[in-house]
Amino acid sequence: MSVCVRAVVRVLVLQAAWALGGGQVRYSVPEEAKGGTVVGRLAQDLGLEAGEAEARRLRLVSQGRRASVEVSGASGALVVSSRLDREELCGKSAPCALRLEVLLERPLRVFHVEVEVTDINDNAPLFPAATKNLSIAESSLPGSRFPLEGASDADIGANAQLSYTLSPSEHFALDLQRSGEYRESLFLVLTKGLDRESLAEHRLLLTASDGGRPSLTGTVELVVSVLDANDNAPQFNQSVYKVQVLESAAEGTLVARVSATDPDEGINSEITFSRSNTFPSGGLNLFELNLQSGEIRLRGPLDFEEVRFYELQIEAKDKGTPPLSGHCKVVVEVLDVNDNAPEVWVTSLSVPVAEDASLGTVVALLSVSDRDSGSNGRVRCAVWPPSPFGLVATFAGSYSLVLREALDRERVSEYEVEVRAEDGGAPPLRASRGLRVPVSDVNDNAPAFAQAVYTVLARENNAAGAELARLWARDPDEAGNGRVSYSVAEGGAGAGSGSGWRPASSYVSVDAESGRLWALQPLDYEELQVLQFEVRAVDAGEPPLCGNATVQLFVVDENDNAPALLPPAGGGPGPWAASEASASASASAPGSLWAWAAWGAPAGQVVAKIRAVDADSGYNAWLRYELWEPRGKGPFRVGLYSGEVSTARALEEADGPRQRLLIVVRDHGEPSRSATATLSVSLVEGAEAALAAAGAVSAGAGLRPAAGAEDGAAAAAATNVWLVVAICAVSSLFLLAVVLYGASRWAPRAAVLSGPGPATLVCASEVGSWSYSQRQSRSLCVADGAGKSDLMVFSPNCPPPPGPAAENGSAEKGPSLSPYSSGAVENLVDVVENVLPLEVC
């Protein structure tokens, strides 16, 4: 229980320390620590469990120079990897801190660690030279002060606090002056007057001791030569000169001018200047002193980032014998200018970025710095273009490049991002760093067809495996996410002959890769006119996405059916054979028919009507009737489109008792197909014809007596009425055709897909029909039978043929001219052919 309590308390303390420290861990390590020395338990202080540091790859981020510490992968401890020399790392700067960035992956986090390298007393005080020569006039009064060059210690703090001792002497003592603003000044003080004759040279040992434990020392031998005579030393007008110089100052710039006076006269008052010491020693060649005028000029470039202050010890010496000298200090302060551009480093880059990455995702870690100080070193950062990425400041000089807007790889697949840094100098300096951020694809686009509905035309009797069309669906995704496969999803049609509904997959198939639509079997227009089904396109993504398109397959009729003759129908308009004649016709060859005609029948009398039907459609089912035998000026003729056999002239006895007619029925297909009917017409007296017609009516054969003289006028009047009705009907159809033609010319034409090539416009002349349409149909009048559904523009609305009641009425009134006489029908056909074109596109 106590162990758990201690663990909880430890976690709370770490969290509090972490919150107070602003996310920064601090350690300290003495310099010269041996390799492998543990600086701190970094993984434990970051709150990581055992083994988690190695699993999440806890590591240091290099900052451009070799670090002297590293992270142990197994334990997660921060250890010394190479020699730590505080003086090499920081010089005289205090404190000496190494600022490190620690990267923790999965998830990505960055921590800032500060390692302070503490000083040890490993450097002894050091004088500039082992021997220092001094010349002091014997006339110097007690209390005279002579500046000495003190020792320097590379350590800092107490280890660099120096104290000086002088070997015992009755004439000399030391005076050390310390100042918080300047470096300490050491003087050799004359405590008792000198006598050159008793002792011309004094040798003193000056010892410098630092404040370390144990203390280290350095020594210099002072050789004091006692000079005679000249008893006035030059005096500077001020002991310390303070000047400021821009680090951008050009070579030859005047830095300062020192001056000194000597109250002596003559040669003892002539003064020359010299430089006795320069601190730091690197500035020795930067300044040039004019020995006569005391002008100090710049001889080399200054760098504020390297050295900010220079101290020059200037000596003024007269020309007396012995010469006397005075001393002053020139302090040169280097002023910063904006001469360093910001620097940008990419410490970590996590690419590619998924296009469905959430907002706030960290893409890269950046580090920005500027060697200048003040406003010149204050850096502002921005990212260009400003979207979809942004910068978030995580710590001083550290930024995270994060996602601010949603990505779309199909719109932009890769971003060239530029991180721009600008300091606060005048004028400001700028730097930039370019990043390439590719975007990885996710399956976020379903396949889409170019058209929602495809219209495909296929001729019947096509070969199995023939290509009908090519479908294509676009998926803007890449690789498997954009690889599309096709399949027939659903759809079908009702098959003919009462076989019921059949699925579309029994007629057509689609290639899974190319989208090629091909027929599985030959198509039969008489069995199937329209097949509607859906084609599905599915990509290979995870999860897969799909799109659908509707395909309307229209089967175009071919002239593959010959006309078929129909048996005589009871109640037909013509005088067909009686029961015994029908029996004889059935016993004879197929297509043989019988009919009677009365002697003296006038021209135009309908004798019989040939009935035929064609299983095809349109032109292929439009039948015409031709009389082959007898040719020339025979007594009979046949209506071109009605099939009615009528007298061409009055029948005479010279025509014989029987006429044999050979009638050919042809369709308008290419090539046309035909059927042949043989009609035997027996010529009898009028009474016999009436008895034959009565017998035919009683037997259901539809006999009609020959026309009388008084009924001829009624028949002619009826013919005129039907002719007027036909002309009105044709006029109405003409107006309707003109309206439809104008609408078709001004309306946008729908493109249909009829093969792998470009979409074409379907015209009537191409598909073998007058006008091919799914929505409009007309009735094709075939003889006196039931109307047939067709798609022809010209399909006159034929009234139903007269029923048995009508025929009975006609029989009671006597013979009359049928409204379907060849003259009326032929006139109607001629009008239609002259008014309406047979081919419409």
Side-chain angles (χ1 to χ4, degrees):
M1 189 65 176
S2 61
V3 175
C4 296
V5 171
R6 286 197 300 271
V8 171
V9 171
R10 179 176 175 270
V11 171
L12 292 177
V13 170
L14 284 175
Q15 290 181 349
W18 183 262
L20 292 175
Q24 183 173 6
V25 180
R26 293 183 175 88
Y27 300 104
S28 65
V29 60
E31 65 172 328
E32 305 297 338
K34 295 182 178 180
T37 301
V38 176
V39 178
R41 300 185 180 277
L42 181 59
Q44 184 177 359
D45 293 340
L46 294 179
L48 301 179
E49 299 294 336
E52 192 177 358
E54 186 174 9
R56 295 181 61 182
R57 294 187 61 190
L58 181 67
R59 58 188 175 90
L60 290 179
V61 178
S62 177
Q63 291 290 339
R65 60 183 181 181
R66 184 177 63 85
S68 300
V69 293
E70 63 182 5
V71 176
S72 175
S75 63
L78 190 66
V79 299
V80 175
S81 61
S82 61
R83 176 177 175 268
L84 286 171
D85 188 352
R86 193 205 63 78
E87 288 74 31
E88 181 182 352
L89 293 174
C90 302
K92 298 292 288 184
S93 299
C96 180
L98 298 178
R99 291 177 176 83
L100 309 173
E101 285 187 359
V102 178
L103 190 65
L104 187 62
E105 297 183 355
R106 298 191 295 270
L108 183 65
R109 291 190 61 186
V110 63
F111 302 92
H112 297 271
V113 178
E114 183 175 294
V115 178
E116 181 181 358
V117 181
T118 59
D119 183 50
I120 64 173
N121 193 22
D122 58 341
N123 292 282
L126 182 65
F127 286 93
T131 303
K132 174 67 174 178
N133 296 318
L134 297 174
S135 297
I136 302 176
E138 64 174 336
S139 59
S140 299
L141 298 177
S144 298
R145 303 163 63 87
F146 305 94
L148 297 177
E149 188 173 359
S152 61
D153 196 326
D155 295 325
I156 61 173
N159 296 328
Q161 292 292 331
L162 302 180
S163 60
Y164 298 90
T165 58
L166 188 65
S167 60
S169 173
E170 62 177 344
H171 295 280
F172 297 97
L174 290 177
D175 182 18
L176 180 63
Q177 294 182 356
R178 299 184 183 275
S179 173
E181 185 177 1
Y182 308 110
R183 189 166 174 264
E184 69 271 12
S185 298
L186 182 64
F187 295 92
L188 182 65
V189 181
L190 183 64
T191 59
K192 184 180 179 180
L194 298 176
D195 185 5
R196 191 192 63 83
E197 288 71 24
S198 61
L199 185 60
E201 184 179 85
H202 297 265
R203 289 186 177 271
L204 305 173
L205 184 62
L206 177 61
T207 303
S209 302
D210 59 22
R213 293 181 180 276
S215 177
L216 301 178
T217 60
T219 60
V220 62
E221 184 181 20
L222 302 178
V223 178
V224 181
S225 299
V226 181
L227 302 179
D228 195 22
N230 190 19
D231 57 352
N232 287 294
Q235 297 291 324
F236 286 93
N237 55 0
Q238 61 187 75
S239 61
V240 177
Y241 292 83
K242 297 180 181 179
V243 293
Q244 294 180 334
V245 182
L246 291 174
E247 65 172 326
S248 60
E251 184 176 350
T253 300
L254 178 63
V255 176
R257 179 184 287 110
V258 297
S259 64
T261 59
D262 193 327
D264 293 330
E265 292 182 351
I267 195 172
N268 292 330
S269 62
E270 295 180 7
I271 300 173
T272 58
F273 299 95
S274 63
R275 185 170 50 185
S276 61
N277 186 33
T278 301
F279 181 84
S281 58
L284 184 62
N285 298 323
L286 287 177
F287 303 97
E288 181 179 16
L289 175 63
N290 189 305
L291 302 181
Q292 304 299 325
S293 64
E295 291 181 348
I296 301 175
R297 293 185 179 273
L298 191 63
R299 196 168 63 177
L302 299 175
D303 191 351
F304 173 84
E305 288 70 37
E306 294 293 336
V307 181
R308 302 186 180 187
F309 291 94
Y310 290 93
E311 294 183 6
L312 285 71
Q313 293 283 349
I314 306 299
E315 182 182 42
K317 183 180 294 186
D318 60 24
K319 296 183 179 180
T321 303
L324 299 179
S325 62
H327 301 83
C328 74
K329 180 185 294 185
V330 178
V331 178
V332 180
E333 180 183 0
V334 182
L335 300 181
D336 182 44
V337 296
N338 193 24
D339 60 343
N340 290 282
E343 295 180 335
V344 182
W345 296 285
V346 179
T347 58
S348 179
L349 182 62
S350 180
V351 292
V353 181
E355 64 176 320
D356 61 346
S358 59
L359 301 184
T361 300
V362 177
V363 178
L365 296 179
L366 306 167
S367 179
V368 181
S369 66
D370 193 318
R371 296 181 61 199
D372 295 322
S373 63
S375 61
N376 296 332
R378 192 175 301 115
V379 181
R380 299 185 301 271
C381 290
V383 61
W384 182 262
S387 61
F389 302 101
L391 285 178
V392 175
T394 57
F395 195 73
S398 297
Y399 295 87
S400 296
L401 183 67
V402 300
L403 185 63
R404 289 287 177 81
E405 297 178 5
L407 301 177
D408 186 0
R409 189 205 63 83
E410 288 69 40
R411 185 173 60 88
V412 181
S413 61
E414 184 176 276
Y415 290 89
E416 293 291 340
V417 180
E418 185 179 33
V419 178
R420 299 177 177 178
E422 179 182 275
D423 59 26
L429 299 180
R430 300 175 179 86
S432 63
R433 176 74 65 178
L435 300 176
R436 188 179 65 88
V437 183
V439 181
S440 61
D441 183 53
V442 297
N443 192 24
D444 57 345
N445 289 280
F449 286 92
Q451 300 173 220
V453 178
Y454 288 86
T455 302
V456 180
L457 301 180
R459 294 185 179 273
E460 67 171 330
N461 302 320
N462 59 303
E467 182 175 332
L468 302 178
R470 287 182 183 268
L471 308 180
W472 180 73
R474 178 180 179 272
D475 193 326
D477 294 325
E478 65 178 357
N481 296 332
R483 187 168 58 251
V484 179
S485 60
Y486 305 88
S487 63
V488 176
E490 59 182 13
S497 303
S499 58
W501 185 90
R502 293 181 62 183
S505 58
S506 63
Y507 295 100
V508 295
S509 178
V510 62
D511 187 84
E513 295 183 359
S514 65
R516 183 175 66 93
L517 185 68
W518 49 280
L520 293 175
Q521 62 182 10
L523 300 176
D524 188 358
Y525 175 82
E526 288 71 38
E527 174 187 349
L528 177 68
Q529 287 81 39
V530 179
L531 178 64
Q532 180 168 316
F533 56 92
E534 285 190 357
V535 174
R536 176 173 297 171
V538 182
D539 61 28
E542 184 62 37
L545 302 178
C546 65
N548 296 326
T550 301
V551 178
Q552 294 179 342
L553 176 64
F554 292 91
V555 182
V556 180
D557 183 45
E558 292 282 347
N559 192 25
D560 58 346
N561 290 282
L565 297 174
L566 298 178
W576 294 90
S579 59
E580 64 275 8
S582 300
S584 63
S586 63
S588 60
S592 298
L593 302 173
W594 291 80
W596 290 268
W599 297 109
Q605 174 68 50
V606 176
V607 175
K609 184 170 185 177
I610 306 301
R611 299 172 65 249
V613 69
D614 196 317
D616 294 322
S617 176
Y619 263 104
N620 299 329
W622 187 24
L623 304 181
R624 65 177 182 268
Y625 302 85
E626 300 175 1
L627 181 62
W628 275 39
E629 293 180 3
R631 294 182 177 273
K633 297 181 179 180
F636 297 98
R637 64 182 178 182
V638 62
L640 182 60
Y641 295 107
S642 64
E644 293 180 345
V645 180
S646 60
T647 57
R649 54 179 174 78
L651 298 178
E652 301 173 354
E653 291 185 2
D655 293 328
R658 177 179 297 178
Q659 290 285 333
R660 181 178 179 273
L661 307 179
L662 183 61
I663 300 172
V664 177
V665 184
R666 296 180 183 276
D667 56 27
H668 284 72
E670 288 294 339
S672 64
R673 295 177 177 267
S674 63
T676 304
T678 302
L679 176 64
S680 296
V681 182
S682 298
L683 304 180
V684 296
E685 294 295 335
E688 294 179 358
L691 292 176
V697 169
S698 63
L703 291 175
R704 178 171 295 185
E710 59 182 22
D711 291 337
T719 302
N720 292 334
V721 171
W722 282 107
L723 182 59
V724 171
V725 172
I727 291 174
C728 294
V730 169
S731 300
S732 301
L733 290 174
F734 172 71
L735 292 176
L736 179 61
V738 170
V739 172
L740 293 178
Y741 178 73
S744 65
R745 287 298 301 270
W746 290 103
R749 299 188 175 186
V752 294
L753 184 64
S754 59
T760 58
L761 181 67
V762 178
C763 298
S765 60
E766 295 178 357
V767 300
S769 169
W770 286 357
S771 177
Y772 199 90
S773 172
Q774 185 186 4
R775 300 177 178 87
Q776 297 182 359
S777 63
R778 299 290 184 267
S779 295
L780 173 63
C781 294
V782 181
D784 57 349
K788 176 184 177 184
S789 175
D790 200 355
L791 305 175
M792 298 171 61
V793 171
F794 169 58
S795 299
N797 295 325
C798 300
E807 291 185 359
N808 292 338
S810 300
E812 292 176 359
K813 294 179 180 179
S816 62
L817 183 62
S818 169
Y820 287 90
S821 63
S822 62
V825 174
E826 289 177 359
N827 291 335
L828 179 61
V829 171
D830 291 340
V831 170
V832 173
E833 289 180 345
N834 292 330
V835 172
L836 296 178
L838 294 183
E839 291 187 1
V840 180
C841 182

